[in-house]
Amino acid sequence: TINTSCRKLAVIVTPAVKTWINTHQFLCSGNPAGGSGTIEGAELEDANISPGPPDIVLGLWEKRIYRGEVMTMLPPLTEDFSDELQVVSGLTLAAFEDMGWYRVNKDMGAELRWGKGQPCKFATDDCTDWPARYKCDGSVTHTNLACSTDFTSLGFCNKATWPAGAIPSKFVWVSGQPLLGGSDPLMDWCFFKEEAPVAHTSCLW
């Protein structure tokens, strides 16, 4: 576990997992493409899921960082306007390798597009510090679509209004607006351009 100023995190720090994160997925020290810094390990999900106690650490990767990995959770069942794809990436294969019980063919790991090639801090900073293409504003809606974060499909801004008290104070990203958050709690209520049902349609005209 790692203690931060906000909460305690559960992190997988085994060798193959740490290598994949730092030298393949993100631009950290040791990545052939360049970069600086080091990520301590792969953060596990600490979503506040209702019903149940807050900040449950689940045996899944933190979705805010590894969205699209098969070992993250899909959006809540009430979120029916998404076409999120999930893949078995090198992260999960690395975890299997580190267990010591499996022979792993790393070449079979699919590319995890979310966060790919971003600086180290993408995995440690709040979503307010994400690059511009990961963010969205109110102009991108269900009826006014824009390119998704990986430019492979059309998407919409997933801003939603939640009941009072639903969003923990540490995940209120807009000052003075405690009811406003992303539609997927597993993404720490971050706003981003979520794939629309017309996904896999080119966003380039």
Side-chain angles (χ1 to χ4, degrees):
T1 60
I2 296 177
N3 286 297
T4 71
S5 59
C6 296
R7 64 192 190 278
K8 181 183 288 187
L9 305 176
V11 179
I12 301 296
V13 296
T14 49
V17 166
K18 191 170 181 178
T19 296
W20 185 87
I21 296 168
N22 285 279
T23 66
H24 178 80
Q25 184 68 3
F26 300 109
L27 292 178
C28 305
S29 298
N31 190 313
S36 61
T38 301
I39 301 171
E40 293 297 325
E43 188 177 325
L44 296 181
E45 185 61 70
D46 64 343
N48 188 330
I49 298 175
S50 182
D55 296 331
I56 299 175
V57 175
L58 304 173
L60 300 168
W61 305 123
E62 168 58 51
K63 190 173 182 180
R64 185 192 79 258
I65 307 170
Y66 305 108
R67 183 178 186 268
E69 227 291 335
V70 72
M71 289 301 293
T72 61
M73 293 181 71
L74 285 169
L77 293 178
T78 54
E79 179 56 53
D80 58 0
F81 199 81
S82 175
D83 196 26
E84 180 182 333
L85 291 176
Q86 290 188 305
V87 300
V88 179
S89 76
L91 176 58
T92 291
L93 296 184
F96 282 138
E97 179 183 2
D98 284 332
M99 290 177 191
W101 302 329
Y102 304 94
R103 287 185 177 180
V104 175
N105 182 351
K106 296 181 180 179
D107 293 336
M108 297 302 292
E111 181 181 65
L112 184 60
R113 292 173 175 166
W114 182 266
K116 174 70 174 177
Q118 295 300 320
C120 256
K121 64 179 184 178
F122 185 90
T124 56
D125 287 355
D126 292 336
C127 52
T128 52
D129 297 316
W130 281 348
R133 71 183 177 91
Y134 284 84
K135 297 178 181 179
C136 64
D137 57 43
S139 67
V140 181
T141 65
H142 292 73
T143 57
N144 185 31
L145 302 176
C147 289
S148 60
T149 56
D150 61 4
F151 304 109
T152 61
S153 63
L154 295 173
F156 62 96
C157 187
N158 70 338
K159 284 186 178 181
T161 300
W162 288 79
I167 304 177
S169 58
K170 62 189 176 186
F171 295 136
V172 174
W173 304 117
V174 181
S175 179
Q177 298 191 48
L179 308 185
L180 184 63
S183 61
D184 188 353
L186 295 163
M187 290 291 291
D188 294 348
W189 283 272
C190 292
F191 312 130
F192 64 95
K193 283 173 281 189
E194 190 169 338
E195 299 84 356
V198 290
H200 324 306
T201 299
S202 174
C203 67
L204 304 177
W205 293 284

